[in-house]
Amino acid sequence: MGNPWPKLELGLNLGASYKGFDLSISGYGRFGQEVWNGSAAAAGDFANNQNNFNGIIPWTQEHPVNDRPRIVYGDSRNSRSDQDRWLENGSFFRLSDITLGYTVPARYIKKIGLERLRASVTLQNMVTFTGYSGLDPEFADSGIFTMGADYCSFPNPRAVQFALSFTF
C-alpha cells in the first residue's frame, strides 16, 4: 500500500551579507511519498486495554460514524496492524542549517594582533514544515524492504552551535 518514493526532492541554499554580518540558510525537502506511521499504529493497539489517546470515542452501534474501528479488549482485530489507515503524506521541507555571523572590522582587531575575528551561531534542524503526525518525517529506515515505514525511530536532533574563530 502506498508509495514510499518521493516524487520530488529538492535543496535550497541562500546566502547574504551586509556590513560584516552574514546569513546563510540551507534546506531540503521531499514531496509526494506516503509513509506508514508505526508509532500511531503501536499507540492505537487496544488489544491489551490501553488507551493512549485521550477522549477516544470508538465505533459502537450507538455511534456508528467514526474514524476508528471498534475496540474490544483482547481482540486482535482491533486497530493495530499494517492497515492503510496508518498511511500518511510524508512530504516535508526542513531548514537544516541557519547561520548568522559577524566579522569584526579589521581596524578594530589589528590593535590586539588579530587579522580576522568572526562570531557566529548556527541553528540545525529547528524548523520542519510537514503534515506528518509522527515524530519526524525524515525517519531512519532499515533498508529497501522497509522504505516508508516509520517504526518509531528517534527524530533528527536539533542543535544550537556557537562559534568564535580567530586568524592571527
Side-chain angles (χ1 to χ4, degrees), residues 40-41 43-46 51-60 63-71 77-79 83 85-86:
D45 179 9
F46 294 98
N51 183 0
N52 294 318
F53 301 105
N54 186 22
I56 187 171
I57 302 172
W59 183 95
T60 62
H63 190 265
V65 179
N66 202 307
D67 65 339
R68 302 190 185 273
R70 69 189 183 107
I71 297 173
R77 296 172 293 170
N78 287 314
S79 58
Q83 301 174 7
R85 66 180 295 220
W86 305 117

Side-chain angles (χ1 to χ4, degrees), residues 122-167:
T122 300
L123 307 175
Q124 292 182 321
N125 299 325
M126 289 292 176
V127 181
T128 303
F129 302 97
T130 186
Y132 180 61
S133 67
L135 293 176
D136 191 342
E138 187 186 24
F139 49 83
D141 57 44
S142 59
I144 190 77
F145 296 111
T146 59
M147 267 312 272
D150 182 1
Y151 289 102
C152 309
S153 62
F154 195 78
N156 286 309
R158 294 178 176 171
V160 178
Q161 297 176 349
F162 298 96
L164 193 57
S165 61
F166 305 91
T167 303

Side-chain angles (χ1 to χ4, degrees), residues 33-130:
Q33 73 274 22
E34 290 178 300
V35 297
W36 181 75
N37 189 339
S39 57
D45 179 9
F46 294 98
N48 60 3
N49 206 26
Q50 66 190 22
N51 183 0
N52 294 318
F53 301 105
N54 186 22
I56 187 171
I57 302 172
W59 183 95
T60 62
Q61 287 184 342
E62 296 79 29
H63 190 265
V65 179
N66 202 307
D67 65 339
R68 302 190 185 273
R70 69 189 183 107
I71 297 173
V72 179
Y73 175 68
D75 192 332
S76 64
R77 296 172 293 170
N78 287 314
S79 58
R80 173 104 196 263
S81 72
D82 298 338
Q83 301 174 7
D84 65 353
R85 66 180 295 220
W86 305 117
L87 284 178
E88 295 186 32
N89 180 349
S91 298
F92 72 93
F93 184 80
R94 170 171 284 146
L95 294 176
S96 56
D97 290 298
I98 303 170
T99 301
L100 177 63
Y102 179 70
T103 303
V104 178
R107 66 181 177 270
Y108 298 123
I109 58 172
K110 292 268 187 204
K111 297 173 188 174
I112 58 172
L114 295 175
E115 279 187 36
R116 187 170 189 254
L117 174 60
R118 182 176 185 273
S120 65
V121 61
T122 300
L123 307 175
Q124 292 182 321
N125 299 325
M126 289 292 176
V127 181
T128 303
F129 302 97
T130 186

